[in-house]
Amino acid sequence: MLVKADRQEELRHLIAFLNGPEVAAICAGAAFPALHPEVDNRLPDNAVFKWIGWDYVKNNDFKALIADTNSAFLLAFQGGAE
């Protein structure tokens, strides 16, 4: 999360909420690992996180990937794909 320095005080309650255990628990419950130390992500002891890598980031158009992903999701969600 990025917050402009001059808006931190104004947004402190929202920042605290989004970084708090409630939102982290929601994320963990949806199989999206949270970094909050009070939340159990229910991952196996040997679980690791993988990063796609800077080469992939540098060599792909993320706006196009997001658009393609959203289109595929909407098509499946609306029943257009099996």
Side-chain angles (χ1 to χ4, degrees), residues 7-30:
R7 307 265 329 257
Q8 284 183 339
E9 180 58 29
E10 173 188 356
L11 298 171
R12 75 180 186 284
H13 295 296
L14 178 61
I15 294 166
F17 173 72
L18 292 175
N19 286 322
E22 296 89 359
V23 171
I26 291 168
C27 291

Side-chain angles (χ1 to χ4, degrees), residues 32-50:
F32 190 85
L35 300 177
H36 198 283
E38 296 175 23
V39 174
D40 178 8
N41 287 295
R42 298 180 292 265
L43 296 172
D45 289 338
N46 61 347
V48 296
F49 292 99
K50 294 184 179 182

Side-chain angles (χ1 to χ4, degrees), residues 46-66:
N46 61 347
V48 296
F49 292 99
K50 294 184 179 182
W51 167 246
I52 58 175
W54 287 113
D55 288 339
Y56 187 84
V57 171
K58 290 176 184 176
N59 294 315
N60 286 276
D61 178 356
F62 273 77
K63 284 186 179 183
L65 288 170
I66 290 169

